[in-house]
Amino acid sequence: MIGASDAGAGAAGAARAADAGLDARVLVVMGVSGSGKSTVAAMVAEQVGWEFAEGDAMHPPANVDKMQAGTPLTDEDRWPWLEVVAGWIRGHLDAGTNGVVTCSALKRSYRDVLRAPGVVFVHVAGDGALIEERMSQRSGHFMPTSLLQSQLATLEPPQDDEAHVTITADRTPEQESAEVVERLGLVPIPRT
């Protein structure tokens, strides 16, 4: 599903996306924690030679502490973080450079902070049980498995009037990232 109302025309290195009315200069790879968005986003960025940023690294320390303690973030906790992510996006759009950033972007109101002509959301959607299994197997991340249910309850998937594609998180990251590149018509950089 590709929605396109908020995206501008034309695309740098994204011919089919441009044909669909999308300008995929900045991708926001979104979804609940554990969906695989960071892995997919990093792989897409590497495949097409775009800059990658991990949105979780932009959280202020107070947010990280709260999540590590197993306490869900409130909207008040999220707004300053979303503004930082939005600043990264605006910086790339203003400079005319391509980028891929991760951000849970669970609610439409959060995506509204990030939305701009040239931004396309990539929703990595998956079954709660599969995501919980993935979360239980990873190490070194501040988000505990106990917060998954609150994220799933908060999630408002992108709608038809939002520039987005949705992929399912039930395959390998290589397959999922290849789907993003193909569906958005991005041009992989040549490998030597």
Side-chain angles (χ1 to χ4, degrees):
M1 162 67 61
I2 298 177
S5 70
D6 289 306
R16 279 185 292 203
D19 291 343
L22 300 178
D23 183 353
R25 287 191 297 154
V26 175
L27 303 182
V28 178
V29 182
M30 59 162 289
V32 298
S33 185
S35 62
K37 61 185 176 290
S38 294
T39 303
V40 169
M43 292 179 95
V44 168
E46 182 180 354
Q47 288 174 38
V48 298
W50 293 7
E51 184 179 350
F52 167 70
E54 174 58 65
D56 281 346
M58 300 179 196
H59 271 294
N63 283 7
V64 174
D65 292 345
K66 197 169 183 179
M67 288 183 281
Q68 281 179 328
T71 304
L73 297 180
T74 65
D75 283 353
E76 290 70 31
D77 297 323
R78 286 189 179 97
W79 297 129
W81 167 63
L82 289 166
E83 286 296 339
V84 172
V85 176
W88 187 93
I89 292 168
R90 281 190 303 272
H92 280 72
L93 295 174
D94 290 348
T97 58
N98 300 322
V100 182
V101 64
T102 60
C103 180
S104 53
L106 298 176
K107 290 184 180 180
R108 184 182 181 114
S109 60
Y110 304 162
R111 294 189 296 275
D112 287 346
V113 174
L114 309 175
R115 190 179 335 276
V119 173
V120 176
F121 294 94
V122 176
H123 180 206
V124 183
D127 173 73
L130 172 66
I131 293 172
E132 185 171 3
E133 180 183 329
R134 286 181 175 180
M135 287 181 78
S136 67
Q137 294 175 2
R138 70 182 183 181
S139 61
H141 196 280
F142 58 79
M143 178 70 81
T145 305
S146 61
L147 291 182
L148 176 59
Q149 290 309 314
S150 72
Q151 287 213 329
L152 289 169
T154 301
L155 177 63
E156 298 171 0
Q159 300 302 303
D160 290 345
D161 65 337
E162 296 181 83
H164 78 282
V165 295
T166 298
I167 64 166
T168 55
D170 58 358
R171 293 156 295 146
T172 67
E174 291 80 8
Q175 292 169 319
E176 293 167 13
S177 62
E179 180 184 349
V180 173
V181 170
E182 196 244 327
R183 287 184 63 193
L184 290 177
L186 304 178
V187 179
I189 57 175
R191 298 291 174 198
T192 56

